[in-house]
Amino acid sequence: MKITLSIIKADVGSVGGHIRPSQRLLNRVQEYVSDEGKGLFIDSFIGSTGDDIAVLFSHAHGVLNESIHKLAWDAFMEGTKIAKEQGLYGAGQDLLKDAFTGNVRGMGPAVAEMEFEERENEPFLMFCADKTDPGAYSLPLYLGFVDPMHNSGLILSPKMAKGFKFTIMDVAYTEGDRIIELNAPENLYDIAALLRDTERFVVESIHSRDTGEQAVAVSTTRLHNIAGKYTGKDDPVMIVRVQGAFPATGEVLSPYGIGHFVAGFMRGSHVGPLMPVVQGSPISFFDGPPIVSCRAFCVHKGSLTESVDAFDHPYWDYIRGQVAQKASDIRRQGFSGPAMLGYSELEYGGIVVKLEELDGKFRTRKVSS
Ligand code: F6R
Ligand code: MG
Ligand code: MG
């Protein structure tokens, strides 16, 4: 059976700053989706990660389906009404357009979708990250799909022997989707050379070269490409199918033990380590640290099983302690050097204005010989 998984997520308001949506707001989005979506989708799941609400649909309508996208958009609009009623911070902030037009791409919400022929057993992972951007997934995807140090299946399983095809997007390009397809392992160094730049080149999808099937879909939305200026970080979502011709769940999770440094953190303008957390976790230290959640499901004839929180395990408590240490370490150098992002990635224009003012006050002193 051919099914589609769609994750659509938005921040439409949160309690106490950019911490977490209110329970009433979450309930309203959930209620709207189940009341108005009857007969449209097969199954759904709703959860929050930091200040973002993500809705997962399983359905039979393919990617970029207008009815599915409109349902999510309308649910977020309904949620915004509650956010305004309750006076939540940033009510409706990710809904950048006044009217819905066809699908949510380019309208503010992040979307990751994939249509595929369901395998007999179809396990998959739903990733949601907050206080960061889509480039945050690049290193874990690289390591989980091409590096035997994390993915032992590349050596052990004949099903992965041919490697994977990476589709990488140049997210700085705004005229259309500028993409390149590169094969691992042959083009490994080319893939690494691009993914090094997490703010410009982002993994959009990964396919098995053995079966041709799609394993990964990442949201590549860049809010500042839509609004012309930063209106928030592009907290990304991702679907990863696992096992069989794809990496095992634990191989996909393994690189999150690094707590690698990503863009985001306070005011979307700093660098911080990515902390794997339980879904529903709020945001705290320095409006961060950047977080990622992962729920594991199986889907059968479009019906979702109960989900398991993949980062709810004593091992990840140990990692969280280490990541907290890394977060404290980089925060000790405040605004200096690599602790803060370069100008083009800052969420605020204030510093540019400040530098223009200061530029006029510079004077050039003659060098005496
Ligand atoms: C992401 C997030 C941050 C904010 C940023 C701006 O979820 O919340 O990236 O967009 O901190 O915040 P305000 O709007 O308070 O200036
Ligand atoms: Mg926010
Ligand atoms: Mg957010």
Side-chain angles (χ1 to χ4, degrees):
M1 178 184 175
K2 214 168 195 183
I3 64 147
T4 306
L5 295 177
S6 304
I7 305 176
I8 305 179
K9 83 94 224 179
D11 173 356
V12 292
S14 49
V15 179
H18 294 280
I19 293 184
R20 185 174 66 70
S22 70
Q23 197 54 51
R24 249 187 85 198
L25 163 50
L26 258 172
N27 291 349
R28 182 65 192 122
V29 172
Q30 180 137 39
E31 187 184 81
Y32 188 89
V33 164
S34 27
D35 288 353
E36 303 299 319
K38 278 199 187 89
L40 177 61
F41 58 80
I42 304 170
D43 218 338
S44 70
F45 171 89
I46 296 183
S48 69
T49 300
D51 58 11
D52 300 312
I53 300 179
V55 189
L56 164 70
F57 298 104
S58 67
H59 58 96
H61 307 298
V63 301
L64 293 175
N65 177 264
E66 180 162 354
S67 308
I68 293 286
H69 281 228
K70 184 163 187 327
L71 177 62
W73 177 266
D74 289 345
F76 290 136
M77 291 291 272
E78 281 298 309
T80 300
K81 284 186 198 160
I82 300 290
K84 287 190 171 151
E85 217 176 283
Q86 291 190 298
L88 297 188
Y89 188 72
Q93 72 157 55
D94 279 359
L95 308 181
L96 302 180
K97 306 279 158 139
D98 296 330
F100 179 81
T101 46
N103 67 68
V104 298
R105 269 195 77 183
M107 299 185 71
V111 49
E113 297 187 285
M114 192 191 298
E115 184 182 30
F116 54 89
E117 195 65 49
E118 216 181 67
R119 298 171 292 172
E120 210 176 309
N121 304 294
E122 191 56 73
F124 74 93
L125 307 173
M126 170 190 189
F127 284 90
C128 301
D130 189 36
K131 304 295 180 275
T132 186
D133 58 24
Y137 293 130
S138 292
L139 182 65
L141 285 174
Y142 175 88
L143 296 173
F145 278 80
V146 313
D147 188 345
M149 296 290 280
H150 289 269
N151 182 343
S152 59
L154 291 170
I155 314 173
L156 300 174
S157 163
K159 291 181 184 159
M160 282 192 282
K162 289 193 185 143
F164 293 93
K165 180 185 81 180
F166 280 64
T167 305
I168 295 171
M169 186 183 282
D170 175 356
V171 293
Y173 191 78
T174 52
E175 306 296 305
D177 290 347
R178 187 163 182 262
I179 55 157
I180 184 170
E181 293 180 350
L182 293 167
N183 284 330
E186 301 91 297
N187 308 129
L188 216 53
Y189 297 161
D190 296 334
I191 294 172
L194 292 178
L195 297 187
R196 183 202 69 80
D197 186 345
T198 49
E199 303 313 297
R200 175 150 185 206
F201 300 110
V202 169
V203 177
E204 180 200 58
S205 60
I206 301 178
H207 289 76
S208 159
R209 293 174 70 199
D210 186 38
T211 63
E213 290 176 293
Q214 185 170 356
V216 175
V218 183
S219 64
T220 50
T221 330
R222 297 264 294 173
L223 289 175
H224 75 326
N225 288 352
I226 302 168
K229 61 178 173 56
Y230 256 129
T231 53
K233 267 280 173 266
D234 311 283
D235 310 323
V237 289
M238 169 167 80
I239 302 167
V240 183
R241 292 167 72 199
V242 288
Q243 308 291 152
F246 307 133
T249 305
E251 288 164 344
V252 173
L253 297 180
S254 170
Y256 293 91
I258 297 171
H260 64 298
F261 287 104
V262 298
F265 223 160
M266 173 59 76
R267 299 183 185 274
S269 303
H270 292 78
V271 170
L274 188 65
M275 181 181 279
V277 296
V278 170
Q279 197 175 39
S281 291
I283 287 296
S284 182
F285 170 61
F286 201 60
D287 274 10
I291 55 172
V292 60
S293 69
C294 174
R295 290 205 85 101
F297 296 83
C298 279
V299 55
H300 187 59
K301 296 182 180 151
S303 293
L304 300 170
T305 56
E306 69 202 75
S307 65
V308 178
D309 197 307
F311 291 134
D312 185 10
H313 187 277
Y315 175 77
W316 296 105
D317 289 337
Y318 158 73
I319 295 296
R320 283 188 273 274
Q322 293 186 330
V323 175
Q325 181 67 58
K326 286 178 81 165
S328 298
D329 286 348
I330 195 155
R331 286 313 315 137
R332 289 181 67 203
Q333 73 173 65
F335 58 80
S336 179
M340 219 171 178
L341 293 174
Y343 295 127
S344 63
E345 296 302 328
L346 295 176
E347 240 188 77
Y348 293 76
I351 194 152
V352 178
V353 176
K354 186 183 285 300
L355 288 174
E356 274 166 12
E357 277 168 24
L358 291 174
D359 195 56
K361 294 184 183 167
F362 269 88
R363 62 192 172 84
T364 310
R365 197 168 49 207
K366 277 236 162 64
V367 184
S368 51
S369 50

